Amino acid sequence: MQNAGIEQLKLNWRYLAFDVVPEDLRNAISGAKAMKFIGLNLTVPHKLLAVSLVDILDESAATWGAVNTIRFEARVGSEWIPLANLEPDCEGAIRAHGFNTDAAAIIRALREDLGLSLEGACVLVLGAGGAGRVASLKLADSGVRTLWLVNRTQDKSETLAAEIRQRYPNVNVSVGYPSVTVDLILNATSLGLHEQDASPIDEIAYPLARSKCVYDMIYRPAMTPLLKRAHSAGCRTANGMGMLLYQGAKALEIWSGQIAPVAAMKEALRKNLYGA
Ligand code: ATR
């Protein structure tokens, strides 16, 4: 996806994957900085740890408490300029600037892939781990009216509900299943990655047909058992490919300062995930 975007933008860059254990994350970021990498993406389990390892946090990373994108910048006079805009042999101090592109990508995916308007919406979020927390907070930030939080470990939903009430006092938050119909059920648990997984939702307590839309953050398989049942129940459905695409597109924009070629990136991602 990133290399397809890079090619379209005619940049002389390559996007490469490196396996790094958490104990080496500090060294890995320092090494990339020393080698004048344009930037980095970080994924599980590095996003929280990276908050304390970058030199400066963008508001997006400070707000959501997680870094998934780093842009390296060099000091030129009194300004910090992205390395993408400088010659490779530039001199001077370099800093790691941390961003979060995941949270905005959730909202973009819900709007573009499900046609959902979140203002005043009622949403049931399944899962209160890392992904569920950021999704719930970002939904609250995007103007939803009511959130219901369901998680296997109920303590985590209670803690998250308290955080949302404190940060977004205008949003109604309850722990447990709704007694009314909702606009969206969002699966942010890891249930559905494997064929034998249990359903992330108790469909006796809350039948899928009571929701207009179901979004599953899982993107492989393309049709999770939850999405299959939701589709049969008449819900509009989408999987997590859009989230993956939009967080990547935004990262490319942060590094390059250009509009990401989303269509080319989407095609490459689709081929990579699901074959031709
Ligand atoms: P992520 O960063 O992807 O959100 P995570 O923080 O480990 O990963 O969260 C995983 C989520 O899936 C949690 O909501 C977890 O529920 P718990 O908080 O009770 O652990 C949920 N989950 C994982 N396995 C599950 C299972 N077998 N049954 C129910 N929920 C499960």
Side-chain angles (χ1 to χ4, degrees), residues 44 126-133 150-154 156 187-191 197-200 217:
V44 176
L126 308 169
R133 177 179 168 274
V150 168
N151 194 50
R152 172 180 58 180
T153 313
Q154 198 174 321
K156 283 207 230 165
N187 178 37
T189 76
S190 46
L191 291 175
D197 282 351
S199 174
M217 285 195 179

Side-chain angles (χ1 to χ4, degrees), residues 124-127 131-132 135 184-193 199-201 214-218 224 226-227 243:
L124 166 59
V125 180
L126 308 169
L184 170 69
I185 297 171
L186 174 67
N187 178 37
T189 76
S190 46
L191 291 175
L193 280 170
S199 174
I201 181 169
V214 175
Y215 191 90
D216 198 333
M217 285 195 179
I218 294 169
T224 61
L226 173 71
L227 290 180
M243 264 183 68

Side-chain angles (χ1 to χ4, degrees), residues 52-82:
S52 59
L53 298 180
V54 295
D55 302 305
I56 183 167
L57 289 175
D58 178 68
E59 195 192 337
S60 58
T63 304
W64 310 116
V67 168
N68 77 322
T69 301
I70 291 176
R71 182 174 72 195
F72 292 108
E73 301 166 348
R75 181 171 221 144
V76 179
S78 60
E79 280 187 85
W80 291 95
I81 310 288

Side-chain angles (χ1 to χ4, degrees), residues 100-118:
N100 182 300
T101 69
D102 287 329
I106 299 171
I107 302 304
R108 184 168 175 193
L110 295 176
R111 291 217 168 102
E112 296 196 15
D113 299 353
L114 287 174
L116 251 184
S117 151
L118 293 165

Side-chain angles (χ1 to χ4, degrees), residues 160-174:
L160 177 57
E163 184 181 0
I164 296 169
R165 284 186 199 110
Q166 203 230 333
R167 286 173 70 169
Y168 302 97
N170 294 334
V171 177
N172 301 311
V173 193
S174 312

